[in-house]
Amino acid sequence: MATDTDKSGGTWSALRRFLLENGALTALAILVVVMSLLSDDFLTAQNLLNVGVQAAVIAILAFGVTFVIIAGGIDLSVGSVAALSATVLGFLATVQGVPIWLALPLAAATGVACGLVNGVLVAYGRLPSFIATLAMLSIGRGLSLVLSEGSPISLPDSVAVLGRSLGGWLPVPVIIMLVMVLVTAVILRRTFAGRAMYAIGGNEEAARLSGIRVKRHQLGIYALSGLFAAVAGIILASRLASAQPQAAQGYELDAIAAVVIGGASLAGGVGSAFGTLVGALILAVLRNGLNLLSVSAFWQQVVIGVVIAIAVLFDTLRRRSGGAGAGSGTGSGANGGRGKRGIQLAVAAAVTALVVGALSFLTPNSGTETTRIGMSLSTLNNPFFLQMRDGAQAEADEAGVELVVTDAQDDASQQADQIQNFVSTSVAAMVINPVDSDAAGPPVGGANNADIPVVAADRGVNEADVETLVASDNVEGGRLAAQELAEAIGEEGRVVVLQGTPGTSASRERGSGFEEGIAEFPDIEVVARQPADFDRSKGLDVMTNMLQGNGDIDAVFAENDEMALGAAAALSSRGEEAVVIGFDGTPEGLEAVAEGTLYASVAQQPAELGRVALRNAIAAVEGESLEETVMVPVEVVTEENVDEFE
């Protein structure tokens, strides 16, 4: 009997010790339980595979960053290096016609080369790793835009298969993620290079004195990080069937967060492959679960930040407690230490559960039988798309359906995840406003396979079926803007163009329409074109620089109202006058037209676009046949007719 008790106590003690020493794994288990209780859709085979796919890119990036952090450095460039490597692959395989068997290793070599540059700057240039990799972040993104000319590059099907599933159920990205975690674990635990990383991160000078060639190892560490970033970039591009020059923005922060949540120390010398994998899964579970719970995209950012802080805080407390009791051996001191750690673990579990569980009060009741329609918008950081959302919500309220809106934050990969989550929750229909038409194809194809009708809004979806496209004609809007501008300046003068985010379809279409329209007026010279990312503050800065470099300007065409308002502010601050025409017809833009701050805006009526898109989605659910394209008219708004628009 005593033997059985001892065995039982030993088993429980070992289990408790394992959980206490693996705080990230415990947090992941708690999150899975909480999400399973809050959403019936979470703990399904399809959704768990979705979580794996959504974790894959961040996890692979994080494995590379793990090497750097263990060695006492930091790598902020991995997101840009991933985008550059994918762009090189697309450029070589699609544009240059290089065979895939050669294009793939060249893309990987691009990542290694970027890593080597980082290593040289850190090891031999003696630059802080923060500065060296921050420089590479900008260089890599810039080269990606230069190589692609700001536009996505489609990938051959032989590469796109890396983002799909084997046998229709086992995702290739998950397989690659598992292979990469094994490779990382072997390097860290079974090679001299791995042991050297821990030694360098623990004490670089001591490592040097013990005979480790620190500089040479630093080169290899950053090269490994670049290689892993290249693999992640290729997987990301494969999921989207296209190389996006703006892909993976901000992913470096998620990768670093995954490493730290997984138990690594930013001071160096501590970390593991398994811990990093768990950290990446925690982030993926959070995002997936919050999507399933229909939590606002704005709240999601807050909650993820809070949970990351909680995870790191309690992991720090666990380490301090473990350190304090490590030398106690047995007896009351050891028992007190274990009791204290147990209390901390219980508090961590309770706080995590409360933070996530409280979100159920911010979401509608998913247990009702109301028809649910998912809507994925490219961004909610723009008045145009906010109006589109509001129009769709008004239509949903009138029709008595539940509308679930997600914000892709101009990230095609994030939008792909959201569409997958809609499929997991079996929404009745979807309204998709693509970040990029090509990148939206594969995830919308998944909705097609699930027999979920999809309505495209504002932009089309390539290589997939949609019930209808509800859109304004961006190209025609650009032409109308050119004609209005030409008339305003007497068909002659000097003009500058503020472009939107490079690579986005809205910027391409509006810009091409304006170019076609302005070409009809030979006495009008476009003296400068610069991107301002659809952002007012950037519009102000870019316009100020344009005025400094080009002298007198007669007119400005901005590809959205936000940039137009920034340009108008720049002109006003310098005491100069010029005709400024925007695009979108946002409330603030129309107010500026009424006041004379803007000469005109091309109004797309986004609220009406949202209404019509949702109306067609409801009709698709009810089995009605729809027109292939539904056009919401655009119109040039000036002081003369601004009162006709709300």
Side-chain angles (χ1 to χ4, degrees), residues 21 122 149 177 289 307 368 374 382 419 477 485 518 526 529 556 620:
E21 292 175 356
V122 172
E149 298 181 348
M177 176 180 71
V307 173
T368 65
N382 184 303
I419 295 172
L485 182 148
I518 211 69
V526 179
R529 300 178 183 84
V556 179

Side-chain angles (χ1 to χ4, degrees), residues 87-430:
T87 302
V88 168
L89 174 60
F91 179 78
L92 292 175
T94 301
V95 179
Q96 298 297 321
V98 174
I100 293 300
W101 61 266
L102 180 58
L104 279 171
L106 288 175
T110 300
V112 173
C114 292
L116 286 173
V117 171
N118 285 335
V120 168
L121 292 175
V122 172
Y124 296 96
R126 308 305 297 172
L127 287 181
S129 58
F130 180 91
I131 299 300
T133 59
L134 182 63
M136 182 55 68
L137 179 151
S138 180
I139 293 168
R141 187 69 62 185
L143 289 175
S144 179
L145 290 166
V146 168
L147 198 60
S148 65
E149 298 181 348
S151 298
I153 304 174
S154 298
L155 293 181
D157 193 64
S158 55
V159 177
V161 71
L162 294 175
R164 298 174 187 165
S165 299
L166 297 178
W169 68 275
L170 183 57
V172 175
V174 173
I175 298 174
I176 296 175
M177 176 180 71
L178 295 176
V179 170
M180 298 304 281
V181 72
L182 290 175
V183 170
T184 304
V186 169
I187 291 174
L188 288 176
R189 295 298 181 185
R190 302 296 181 184
T191 67
F192 175 74
R195 292 190 291 274
M197 292 177 198
Y198 287 104
I200 294 170
N203 188 318
E204 183 176 325
E205 185 59 27
R208 182 179 291 108
L209 293 175
S210 66
I212 294 175
R213 298 182 177 181
V214 173
K215 293 182 178 180
R216 181 177 297 181
H217 279 286
Q218 285 176 328
L219 283 179
I221 289 164
Y222 283 96
L224 271 176
S225 182
L227 175 61
F228 277 58
V231 173
I234 292 169
I235 297 303
L236 179 59
S238 300
R239 285 193 63 203
L240 305 175
S242 61
Q244 306 275 328
Q246 293 284 19
Q249 289 203 61
Y251 282 29
E252 56 276 349
L253 300 181
D254 277 357
I256 293 169
V259 177
V260 175
I261 290 172
S265 170
L266 289 174
V270 177
S272 69
F274 179 71
T276 296
L277 175 62
V278 172
L281 288 174
I282 286 174
L283 294 177
V285 166
L286 272 173
R287 290 199 169 95
N288 175 269
L290 295 176
N291 279 165
L292 297 184
L293 292 171
S294 305
V295 173
S296 160
F298 304 142
W299 276 109
Q300 287 189 32
Q301 296 184 52
V302 174
V303 171
I304 288 174
V306 169
V307 173
I308 288 173
I310 289 173
V312 176
L313 172 63
F314 280 99
D315 188 62
T316 301
L317 291 174
R318 178 189 62 80
R319 289 179 182 280
R320 289 176 181 172
S321 175
S328 301
T330 60
S332 59
N335 292 332
R338 286 195 294 269
K340 185 177 179 181
R341 285 182 291 171
I343 292 172
Q344 291 173 351
L345 177 61
V347 173
V351 172
T352 304
L354 283 173
V355 168
V356 181
L359 297 175
S360 60
F361 295 101
L362 301 174
T363 63
N365 185 359
S366 60
T368 65
E369 296 182 0
T370 304
T371 300
R372 298 177 72 242
I373 295 178
M375 184 179 198
S376 175
L377 293 172
S378 55
T379 180
L380 285 175
N381 190 30
N382 184 303
F384 177 84
F385 297 105
L386 287 171
Q387 290 181 80
M388 188 189 296
R389 178 202 63 186
D390 293 343
Q393 187 62 62
E395 185 69 23
D397 292 342
E398 290 179 13
V401 303
E402 180 187 341
L403 180 65
V404 182
V405 181
T406 61
D407 176 9
Q409 300 178 357
D410 281 325
D411 184 342
S413 174
Q414 192 169 150
Q415 186 165 60
D417 294 344
Q418 292 167 356
I419 295 172
Q420 285 182 334
N421 293 339
F422 283 149
V423 173
S424 295
T425 56
S426 301
V427 294
M430 299 185 204

